[in-house]
Amino acid sequence: MQELQAKVTQAQVEIIDREKFEQGIADVVAKYENYTVTAATIKDDKQVLADLRKLKKQISDERIKIKRELSQSADEFDKYIKDTSEPMDKVIDKIATDVKAFEEHQKAVRLDTVKSYLANKAAEYMLDPRLFDEKALEYIKASDFMADGVTLKKVTMKSLEDMVTFEFQKQQEFEKAKATISGQCAEYGMTDQPYIRMLRDLTVLEVLEQIKSDYTFEKQKQEIERARQEREQQLAAQQAKEQEQAQKSTETPQIDPETGEILEGGELSQNNQNALRGAENAPKLYTQKMTLEVYFEDTADKDRFKAGLSQLGFEHKQNYQVSGYQRIEPLTQSELNGQCGW
C-alpha cells in the first residue's frame, strides 16, 4: 500500500499599508480615550459609539474572511483523508470486534477448564464447588495455561488444589468448633446457635469464654430471683401467721363453767404470742463467716454486685464488710485465671 504523502505550501497573508493601519488605530484611541459622555451631548455620544462599533466590525469581518480562506485548504484536506480512509476504518473495526470476541471465548473456555478442575477436587473432599466460583476468575489468564490455551499448567493445578485443601481444613476446624460450642451449651442448658454465629468474628476460645460469662450471669440472676421469691414467700407466710394469731387474740376466751379457768385453746394462743414476741426481740446470732475476693470490670459492675447482695438480704456494715477494695491494672480473663490458679 502506498503511504500517504503530501506537499504543504505555507500560506502567507500580507497586510497592505501595515503602518497606515496601525496609525489609524492609534489616532482613534488618542481621540477618544478621554472621551466624556454628558447629558447635553448624549445624542452625539451615541453616534460616536455607533461609528466606533462600525469600524470595529469592519476590521473583525475582514479578519474572519481572511482566516476562512486560509483554513479552507486544510478543511478540504481533512475531509479528503477521512473519506478516503473510511473503508479501511471499517475493516479495522471488524477485525477488532472479531479479536475481542475470540478473546472472550478463550476466557470462557479457560474459566470452564478451571471450574471443572475445581469441581473434581471439591468432589474428593465432598465440598460444594460453588464455594470457589469467585476465586476461579483469578486463574483464567493466558499465563496460567499451556501454549494451547486450554491445558492448565502444573503450577496452576497445584494452586487450585491447595485452595480446595485449605477450604476443607477450614471447614473441618469450623465443624470442630461448632461441636465444642454445642457441647458446652448443652452442658449449661443453653441454645448454641447465637454462639455458633459468633465464630464468624471470634475464635472458639473467645466464644467459650462468652458462653461461660453468660451462664454465670444468668445463674446469678436466677439465684437473686430465687432469693427474692423465697423472701416474698416467707413474708407472706409470716403475715398470714400474724393475721391468724391476731384473729385468735380477738376471739372471746372459752371458760370452764365449773372451774372458771381458761380452756387450753386460749392458753396456747397466749403462749404462742409470747413466744413470737420473744423470737422477734431475741438478738440475731451469726455462726459462720467467709472471706470473698471479687474482681469487677468497672464501678457499675461493683454496684450491680452490691445490689444483688442487698436483694439476698445482705447489707453493708450490717452482716458483711468490705476490706482491701482497690483499683488494679486491667487483667484479661486468661491473665486472671493464671494469677488465681484457676
Side-chain angles (χ1 to χ4, degrees), residues 108-163:
V109 171
R110 291 196 292 265
L111 181 59
D112 287 342
T113 301
V114 172
K115 284 188 174 182
S116 177
Y117 186 85
L118 285 171
N120 291 333
K121 288 297 176 182
E124 295 177 9
Y125 293 95
M126 292 183 293
L127 295 175
D128 186 348
R130 291 174 297 182
L131 291 170
F132 309 102
D133 283 351
E134 186 175 348
K135 285 289 187 180
L137 296 172
E138 300 176 8
Y139 293 89
I140 60 174
K141 298 184 294 295
S143 58
D144 294 318
F145 289 78
M146 303 290 284
D148 60 5
V150 294
T151 304
L152 289 168
K153 290 182 177 179
K154 289 184 178 180
V155 64
T156 306
M157 290 188 287
K158 180 66 168 56
S159 295
L160 294 174
E161 185 173 354
D162 289 345
M163 183 199 305

